Amino acid sequence: MPLPDTASHQSGADRTFQVDLRGLVDLLSHHLYSSPRVYLRELMQNAVDALTARHALEPAAPAGSFGIRLYADRSVVRVEDDGVGLTEEDVHTFLATIGRSSKRADGIAEQRGDFIGQFGIGLLSCFLVADEIHVVSRSARTPGAPAVEWRGRGDGSYTVRALPASARPAPGTTVTLTPRADAGEWTAPARVQALAHHFGSLLRHPVTFDDGSGGPAVPVNPEQAPWARTYPTPGARSRALAAYGEEVFGFTPLDTVELNLPAVGLRGIACVLPEAVPAGRRHGHRVHVKGMLLSEQAEEILPDWAFFVRCVVDAESLRPTASRESLYEDDTLAAVRDALAEQLRAWIARAAASDPELLHRFLQAHHLSVKSLAVHDDEILRMLLPWLPFETTDGHCTLDEFSRTHRTVLVTSSVEEFRQVAAIASAAGLGVVNGGYTYDRELVHRLPEIRPEVSVADLDPATLTAHLDPVDRETELAAAAYLAQARDALAVFDCDVALRAFQPASAPALLVDSREARHERTRSRLAREQEGGLWGDILGALQQEAPRAQLILNQLNPLVRTAVAIDEPELARTSAEALYGQAALLSRRPLRPAESSLINRSFLDLLAHALRKDS
């Protein structure tokens, strides 16, 4: 841009920006559009908008009387439409002024919402594949106006001239591109046809493609969107929608959910994924605006929790961003997202009420997704919590099945805790649910909201030991010496030892020890070691009475009955250590180094004792 002269500068006269068109095209190609292929979408969008204006001008024209014709051979790409066309004044106003939208002009359109995009920047996308844009247009709004030719070049220059009527006898516009040599990937006939189908398969105006081979033009969008067609039966409709979903997304949907929001002119389908996906992974959805494909990766159309579906929708009133490759986040989009979420909830409710087999298959694949949703959505919680699968002492089953046999449901705080007590609790008739997985404990505690007759409580060691049968007094006294030696041997692990009778008899011992108890004991030990220092004072202030682990020996187990009768002190200590190590292994929690050492030592000591006895 040249510097202003002194007089102009002193007078404060307004100046006009000069645009480096080549720099602007480079900016578009690297920062606004995802790929040069969008040039064809922009041309088709302009053609569709011109047809929309033509129908508004001639509302009595039969449907399908105006259309779009695409042509591509090795030398040119051409897009021709029967739209409203342009006068020479329109050409100067809209094609030669970057950023000016013909849809805002009086007489071209009364409402911005009738159109997909705008000329302006969109037409510049053609410079991604060609150095020159050639436009011939004739106005339907001003029938007496001559046809007009506009040639725009990548260096920012352009020419405009009037043409004889024979150059364009009917109203409409023809845009011709002469592709650059490096743009062959995007302008080859087969690629142009594929792009036309990709972007325009759901357009409401007839679109054809001619590859210049001399054969007839091929329809690009021969059929309506599948949800807009009529079918002989509901089953035929469901199969057709599922087939369309498989064609678009490449998987056979578990089910398809029809989406319909008349307020924004939105219709489409949600395809339920047949397999589980990691929680939080969001899939892109195909969004069309007035039939034109806007985006294949529009995550924002659905809420985060709906990652068990992929959608394809066509809408009238959603607002594209400047690149027209995603949706503008505004109140309309937020309302659409909420409304589509309600329709997905309604589908889940219908499946729960009338199709238990479908619901079972859905929950088998997506129970983690539904659990994450149920935590924050009371309606989904009420509908589906009884049908969600959990790991329990009765195996993997739903809470509905589990609560039929257990009016009191106990839930563990960790997977490790569940592993420790599952077999013993099952034999004792206790109903325990593994609450160690994400969401599970919180959801189980909400079961009484749906099943008021059921009570839920956290499982603690006292609850479990209270359900184990005490041994008679004589047996307790006979084992007292052994139990004292065992407590002494296991004191290093802050572990008490008790004798009870419980099923299954094959289990010699049960180690009851929670993660919280271990953490508290570790804090107490550190406080003792740091006594007198600042760190010791801090730990001492946090210290509570350290809960002890408990090794419960099973009097019904033959090995335990033999062990408690041992009168050799060293062998008694070794057997107690071995029983502790075996119970720690069965708990499936990570072993501390001291416990691993104890297991190895007790095994070798017992082996040495057995060998000495045999010799």
Side-chain angles (χ1 to χ4, degrees):
M1 183 187 303
L3 293 174
D5 57 46
T6 305
S8 297
H9 179 68
Q10 291 176 347
S11 65
D14 289 339
R15 308 289 290 180
T16 302
F17 284 105
Q18 296 184 20
V19 177
D20 179 355
L21 191 57
R22 289 192 183 277
L24 181 57
V25 170
D26 181 70
L27 180 68
L28 295 178
S29 61
H30 289 93
H31 300 285
L32 185 63
Y33 296 120
S34 61
S35 165
R37 69 176 184 168
V38 300
Y39 82 92
L40 189 66
R41 184 196 64 198
E42 297 293 334
L43 291 178
M44 293 175 69
Q45 283 185 347
N46 286 338
V48 170
D49 287 342
L51 291 176
T52 302
R54 179 77 181 271
H55 277 289
L57 184 65
E58 303 176 32
S65 56
F66 306 132
I68 302 171
R69 294 167 295 282
L70 308 179
Y71 176 91
D73 57 21
R74 292 292 175 181
S75 58
V76 298
V77 175
R78 186 164 61 244
V79 178
E80 182 178 351
D81 66 70
D82 301 317
V84 71
L86 300 169
T87 63
E88 183 173 352
E89 180 183 359
D90 294 333
V91 166
H92 282 289
T93 302
F94 303 123
L95 297 190
T97 305
I98 296 172
R100 179 76 60 85
S101 171
S102 63
K103 287 66 168 190
R104 288 195 294 267
D106 294 338
I108 295 293
E110 295 179 356
Q111 294 184 352
R112 177 68 175 85
D114 290 339
F115 300 90
I116 300 171
Q118 61 184 40
F119 272 121
I121 290 177
L123 190 63
L124 294 183
S125 65
C126 296
F127 288 123
L128 299 177
V129 298
D131 289 326
E132 182 175 279
I133 305 171
H134 179 214
V135 178
V136 175
S137 187
R138 184 173 182 182
S139 175
R141 188 174 300 280
T142 312
V148 60
E149 176 192 68
W150 178 85
R151 289 184 183 270
R153 289 170 285 277
D155 61 4
S157 63
Y158 71 93
T159 59
V160 179
R161 67 189 181 100
L163 298 176
S166 59
R168 176 83 201 198
T173 301
T174 301
V175 180
T176 304
L177 308 179
T178 302
R180 292 195 305 270
D182 62 354
E185 177 185 358
W186 307 108
T187 58
R191 175 56 69 93
V192 172
Q193 183 178 6
L195 290 177
H197 179 77
H198 178 74
F199 289 122
S201 61
L202 298 186
L203 288 175
R204 294 84 184 267
H205 306 285
V207 183
T208 60
F209 173 77
D210 183 352
D211 63 2
S213 63
V218 178
V220 169
N221 53 341
E223 296 182 298
Q224 291 180 300
W227 47 82
R229 303 173 205 162
T230 56
Y231 299 90
T233 64
R237 183 178 186 84
S238 296
R239 288 190 294 273
L241 295 178
Y244 181 74
E246 184 172 4
E247 176 188 346
V248 170
F249 295 123
F251 64 84
T252 302
L254 185 67
D255 195 19
T256 54
V257 186
E258 286 207 55
L259 306 174
N260 188 9
L261 300 177
V264 292
L266 183 147
R267 295 191 68 183
I269 58 172
C271 298
V272 182
L273 291 159
E275 297 178 352
V277 294
R281 176 184 292 179
R282 300 185 68 186
H283 287 290
H285 307 288
R286 289 176 64 95
V287 175
H288 299 251
V289 174
K290 299 178 178 65
M292 183 69 71
L293 179 63
L294 180 77
S295 174
E296 298 174 271
Q297 300 296 325
E299 296 180 354
E300 61 274 15
I301 195 71
L302 288 180
D304 291 350
W305 57 258
F307 49 81
F308 52 84
V309 298
R310 294 193 69 182
C311 292
V312 52
V313 299
D314 184 22
E316 294 285 338
S317 303
L318 294 180
R319 181 181 170 192
T321 59
S323 67
R324 284 173 261 175
E325 295 186 316
S326 59
L327 294 171
Y328 188 83
E329 188 69 48
D330 57 11
D331 291 343
T332 299
L333 179 58
V336 166
R337 185 163 49 237
D338 291 343
L340 293 181
E342 287 300 320
Q343 296 197 0
L344 292 180
R345 289 190 186 95
W347 172 81
I348 294 174
R350 288 195 301 273
S354 60
D355 198 339
E357 181 182 352
L358 173 61
L359 180 68
H360 175 70
R361 287 187 287 126
F362 169 66
L363 291 179
Q364 269 191 323
H366 300 293
H367 60 274
L368 288 179
S369 309
V370 177
K371 285 179 179 179
S372 69
L373 171 59
V375 167
H376 307 290
D377 191 309
D378 290 343
E379 184 177 349
I380 293 295
L381 179 81
R382 288 190 297 271
M383 286 191 299
L384 292 185
L385 181 59
W387 314 108
L388 290 172
F390 290 83
E391 185 179 11
T392 75
T393 46
D394 291 352
H396 282 82
C397 61
T398 66
L399 286 185
D400 183 66
E401 296 169 328
F402 193 66
S403 62
R404 291 176 190 171
T405 53
H406 301 284
R407 293 304 186 189
T408 298
V409 175
L410 302 173
V411 58
T412 65
S413 59
S414 67
V415 175
E416 171 193 315
E417 187 178 272
F418 180 80
R419 298 283 187 265
Q420 289 178 11
V421 306
I424 310 303
S426 178
L430 296 176
V432 182
V433 177
N434 185 352
Y437 297 115
T438 305
Y439 310 120
D440 283 13
R441 183 168 174 266
E442 182 178 354
L443 289 172
V444 174
H445 271 287
R446 298 191 65 179
L447 180 61
E449 299 176 26
I450 294 94
R451 297 282 191 270
E453 69 278 9
V454 178
S455 62
V456 177
D458 287 324
L459 176 69
D460 58 42
T463 304
L464 181 63
T465 55
H467 284 79
L468 304 182
D469 296 331
V471 297
D472 59 71
R473 184 172 179 77
E474 291 181 4
T475 302
E476 183 84 31
L477 289 174
Y482 178 85
L483 294 177
Q485 291 172 324
R487 292 186 186 106
D488 184 61
L490 301 178
V492 66
F493 299 112
D494 292 316
C495 183
D496 195 10
V497 183
L499 185 65
R500 296 286 187 272
F502 55 85
Q503 295 293 338
S506 59
L510 169 66
L511 180 61
V512 179
D513 190 20
S514 68
R515 182 183 304 171
E516 291 76 13
R518 292 197 302 277
H519 288 172
E520 182 58 38
R521 292 197 299 274
T522 300
R523 188 162 56 239
S524 298
R525 177 177 55 78
L526 289 173
R528 291 193 299 270
E529 293 174 356
Q530 300 287 338
E531 187 173 357
L534 176 62
W535 182 237
D537 292 341
I538 295 174
L539 291 175
L542 295 174
Q543 182 177 352
Q544 305 171 7
E545 182 179 351
R548 307 190 73 192
Q550 196 170 32
L551 180 67
I552 304 175
L553 304 179
N554 187 3
Q555 174 63 20
L556 301 181
N557 182 269
L559 178 63
V560 171
R561 289 200 299 270
T562 301
V564 296
I566 295 173
D567 55 8
E568 297 180 35
E570 287 302 318
L571 181 59
R573 290 177 62 90
T574 300
S575 66
E577 290 173 343
L579 288 169
Y580 176 89
Q582 191 259 358
L585 287 172
L586 289 178
S587 71
R588 303 186 188 181
R589 65 169 171 80
L591 296 177
R592 292 172 286 179
E595 291 172 330
S596 299
S597 176
L598 173 140
I599 291 171
N600 292 332
R601 185 179 70 251
S602 62
F603 171 76
L604 294 175
D605 288 350
L606 287 175
L607 181 61
H609 178 82
L611 292 175
R612 285 197 304 271
K613 184 177 180 181
D614 290 342
S615 61

